[in-house]
Amino acid sequence: MRDTVYFLVFDGFADWQAALALCEVRRPGDWQVATVGFTRAPVRSMGGLAVQPELSLAELDFARAALTIVPGGHLWQRGEGASAVAALRQLHGAGSVVAGIDSGVLALARAGLLDRCRHTGNWAGHIDTQVPGYAGSAQYDASLLAVSDGGTITASHLGSVEFAREVIRTLDLYGATDREHWYRLFKHAQLPPWCVGEAAAA
């Protein structure tokens, strides 16, 4: 049963990038969220939060993985994290959607997950300069802040709201209309119609 969303943590991970997505995943109560580290050793986020991983990469349950989220961090810019890249390839092969934001997209590219699907990233050419052997440049879409395709979600460092929207859609949270209201609220501060009516009545 695919009931778990894995969130990769490591020293210097960008803690804010997936915050909206994770909150919405947990809100209905139907999904488990588990933090995964390279090991179970505590890590500290870019913002200084101390996080104790619940699992190590070696303890992943591929059969339960519905979605795996990879945040940005200098780790990926340095070309490190080979064991995570290998795990992402396995997770994707086992049926988990793999989602990367900011430099976390580089991990997906190194796993070979972006060679044959539409995707985006921080800027055109970023992946090419960081990932030798990357063959997906023709599939790169610079016009969108987040893209879902081929069992992957990719997002720019400026696209945390769009990233959350794609996660919400992938897990089929809420109805299509409510998802659109959610996006307008968090992206453009546009209240849903029922909230506007309640505010006017007050």
Side-chain angles (χ1 to χ4, degrees):
M1 178 181 179
R2 297 193 180 279
D3 62 355
T4 302
V5 173
Y6 288 126
F7 179 65
L8 186 64
V9 296
F10 48 88
D11 280 322
F13 76 90
D15 42 22
W16 71 94
Q17 292 177 336
L20 272 175
L22 291 171
C23 286
E24 296 304 327
V25 168
R26 291 196 71 233
R27 191 189 304 272
D30 298 327
W31 299 94
Q32 303 295 318
V33 174
T35 51
V36 181
F38 287 83
T39 69
R40 285 201 180 207
V43 299
R44 192 168 294 277
S45 74
M46 194 177 290
L49 299 177
V51 178
Q52 176 69 60
E54 298 165 73
L55 302 167
S56 69
L57 287 171
E59 297 172 298
L60 288 169
D61 186 340
F62 297 104
R64 300 191 72 164
L67 176 74
T68 304
I69 296 177
V70 185
H74 298 307
L75 171 86
W76 310 123
Q77 295 287 130
R78 297 193 298 263
E80 299 171 2
S83 59
V85 169
L88 294 175
R89 190 180 300 116
Q90 287 182 273
L91 283 159
H92 188 265
S96 173
V97 174
V98 178
I101 183 170
D102 187 16
S103 57
V105 170
L106 299 176
L108 276 64
R110 291 188 179 113
L113 305 183
L114 305 183
D115 290 344
R116 291 176 295 278
C117 66
R118 287 176 58 247
H119 58 279
T120 193
N122 285 349
W123 60 84
H126 182 222
I127 302 174
D128 306 72
T129 60
Q130 293 282 329
V131 184
Y134 163 66
S137 56
Q139 303 288 332
Y140 187 90
D141 189 338
S143 68
L144 296 173
L145 293 177
V147 175
S148 294
D149 191 36
T152 68
I153 299 172
T154 52
S156 157
H157 60 300
L158 300 176
S160 59
V161 178
E162 288 79 5
F163 180 77
R165 179 174 61 176
E166 294 307 312
V167 168
I168 290 168
R169 184 182 308 170
T170 296
L171 296 178
D172 197 28
L173 304 177
Y174 319 130
T177 300
D178 287 341
R179 286 196 291 264
E180 185 58 27
H181 286 314
W182 179 94
Y183 178 72
R184 291 178 182 178
L185 177 64
F186 283 93
K187 185 67 176 181
H188 303 295
Q190 295 178 2
L191 293 174
W194 57 86
C195 289
V196 173
E198 290 174 1

